[in-house]
Amino acid sequence: MAADVIVLGAGIIGVSVALQLARRGKSVVLVDRRGPGEETSFGNAGLIQREGVVPYGFPQDLALLLRYSLNNRIDVRYRLSALPKIAPFLGRYWYNSAAARHAAIARAYTPLIEHSVSEHNILIDEAGAGELIVKNGWMEAYRTAERRDADYAFAERLSRENGISHTKLDAKELAASEPHLSRDFVGGLKWNDPWSVLDPHGLTLAYVKLFESLGGSVVRGDASTLSQTTSGWTVRTATGAVEGEQAVAALGPWADIVTQRLGYRFPLGVKRGYHMHYALQEGARLNNWLIDAERGYFLAPMRKGIRLTTGAEFAERDAPKSPVQIDRAERVARSIFPLGGRLDAEPWMGARPCTPDMMPIIGKAPRHKTLWFAFGHAHHGLTLGPITGRVIAEAMLGEKPVIAIDAYRPERFNP
């Protein structure tokens, strides 16, 4: 099998890259060891976060860091045994999260987020996937006036600087919006611009179907077998060798499978996350995608049930999963909302691929002129899939990308 481009990794980023290339007339083979969207892309909270112009930074407040050190929270947990290995990544992450550096990173990150909903909208229409989308934003619920007022001030800043729309809710308005939520909350904040996805895996598969309708192929294969040839690249798959003039590594947290073999050393870390689906008690309803802001877990009314997602677990990528965060989150969630029984046999776990400067790696490989990278999207893989695919496709075809991508170039880590 031969193609113009081999795309390695069939998560939402790889699928989007392959689809955007196919939309521009290129022959593309999409290669993954599993089915499309079955790894990290499977388990997110289902948000296309148009408001997410400020990436999640590492806490700078000493008192908060001391609270995190107790390792008893839902939003962040760490594996003590992993700290020696991941400490260098965490140190760089903390350094880049200092106020001035974090502000500069947010300015560079914003153009990607600004095109998140609009680029999804194009592909959703072409894929006929509109029934999977809810265009109603998402909500934060606050237990304390202190956290509420701080987030209100942050929302006002985003409104002034980035045109992000929001609605402040007092306790009565929050209760009217979510009548089955407990009265533990003093108010809420509705982000109006984001879209929500009722079935994130279903949306990925809809994009795959569109890709295949344009002549693209999806095959099972081993990314670690990628090797350079005189005319491009080859990789071994279940259907035989695939050859391509160019290749794109969109392997998320497994990017090192390819990059290290080719001599690149990216400081890629992971934030692992968990989810579980729940039934609703009779007569109950959740109207909004909602985060319990001070506790750090998320409730999303998806097709399969109410998806509860946790925050971040700092651990080695391939360490055995642990139900600790899900169990903690479930106990709290049941106290504020009438969840029914669990619908999954066990918690799902995935690993978000993160860089220490909180921005993805997008662009041509510094030492291989026909190899491209697209990974490291952290919490915003679903959000940034289509725009990442577009700018990669435009750059590969020699066009001027719709936004400048210099800030995301691989050379910032591998000169």
Side-chain angles (χ1 to χ4, degrees), residues 124-147:
I124 289 164
D125 284 348
E126 292 183 4
E131 76 281 357
L132 297 176
I133 307 302
V134 179
K135 302 176 183 180
N136 191 38
W138 66 279
M139 184 179 293
E140 303 196 50
Y142 301 107
R143 295 169 179 266
T144 66
E146 180 182 15
R147 175 62 185 270

Side-chain angles (χ1 to χ4, degrees), residues 1-2 29 31 219-222 225 234-243:
M1 185 183 296
V29 177
V31 180
V219 298
R220 298 288 181 100
D222 183 357
T225 65
T234 184
V235 65
R236 292 201 300 269
T237 76
T239 57
V242 174
E243 297 184 355

Side-chain angles (χ1 to χ4, degrees), residues 54-355:
V54 178
Y56 296 100
F58 197 98
Q60 301 290 294
D61 179 72
L62 180 58
L64 180 57
L65 287 172
L66 289 173
R67 290 197 294 273
Y68 280 130
S69 73
L70 299 176
N71 212 20
N72 59 3
R73 298 171 64 97
I74 296 168
D75 54 345
V76 176
R77 181 174 182 262
Y78 60 89
R79 296 281 185 96
L80 186 61
S81 60
L83 286 183
K85 183 173 182 179
I86 66 176
F89 168 82
L90 294 177
R92 293 179 69 174
Y93 182 19
W94 172 82
Y95 174 83
N96 284 311
S97 298
R101 285 182 285 271
H102 191 232
I105 287 167
R107 288 192 294 271
Y109 190 65
T110 293
L112 278 172
I113 294 291
E114 286 178 338
H115 287 75
S116 56
V117 168
S118 58
E119 290 299 321
H120 264 288
N121 187 43
I122 294 169
L123 300 188
I124 289 164
D125 284 348
E126 292 183 4
E131 76 281 357
L132 297 176
I133 307 302
V134 179
K135 302 176 183 180
N136 191 38
W138 66 279
M139 184 179 293
E140 303 196 50
Y142 301 107
R143 295 169 179 266
T144 66
E146 180 182 15
R147 175 62 185 270
R148 179 199 64 197
D149 293 345
D151 278 14
Y152 282 1
F154 175 69
E156 289 291 347
R157 179 166 70 84
L158 292 192
S159 179
R160 291 192 305 271
E161 297 177 0
N162 303 100
I164 303 299
S165 174
H166 67 277
T167 303
K168 302 179 183 71
L169 305 170
D170 62 26
K172 289 183 179 180
E173 290 167 330
L174 176 62
S177 179
E178 291 294 349
H180 296 102
L181 199 64
S182 74
R183 300 301 181 260
D184 293 61
F185 301 97
V186 299
L189 177 67
K190 182 78 172 289
W191 298 104
N192 298 318
D193 298 311
W195 289 1
S196 305
V197 184
L198 292 166
D199 180 357
H201 186 227
L203 183 62
T204 301
L205 295 181
Y207 288 171
V208 170
K209 186 177 179 180
L210 176 59
F211 166 66
E212 291 177 323
S213 76
L214 297 172
S217 299
V218 181
V219 298
R220 298 288 181 100
D222 183 357
S224 69
T225 65
L226 182 75
S227 60
Q228 196 167 18
T229 68
T230 56
S231 59
W233 300 88
T234 184
V235 65
R236 292 201 300 269
T237 76
T239 57
V242 174
E243 297 184 355
E245 296 176 10
Q246 300 191 77
V248 181
L251 292 161
W254 297 277
D256 60 350
I257 290 173
V258 166
T259 58
Q260 288 190 8
R261 290 180 59 252
L262 295 173
Y264 298 97
R265 295 293 182 269
F266 292 105
L268 199 66
V270 297
K271 294 181 186 178
R272 306 201 317 175
Y274 297 81
H275 84 223
M276 171 63 69
H277 291 98
Y278 298 84
L280 284 167
Q281 293 183 23
E282 186 175 354
R285 179 179 176 84
L286 182 65
N287 296 316
N288 294 275
W289 274 247
L290 183 141
I291 190 169
D292 184 345
E294 280 93 345
R295 298 295 187 267
Y297 62 90
F298 205 93
L299 295 173
M302 294 191 176
R303 281 186 167 178
K304 190 175 179 180
I306 301 298
R307 178 178 289 187
L308 184 155
T309 67
T310 67
E313 180 188 50
F314 289 99
E316 294 188 52
R317 181 189 64 200
D318 301 321
K321 64 184 179 182
S322 165
V324 171
Q325 281 173 294
I326 279 287
D327 291 344
R328 288 174 181 169
E330 180 181 323
R331 285 194 294 271
V332 178
R334 288 189 181 281
S335 73
I336 60 99
F337 188 79
L339 293 174
R342 288 186 170 189
L343 299 177
D344 303 321
E346 61 179 357
W348 175 91
M349 185 201 74
R352 308 174 186 96
C354 305
T355 65

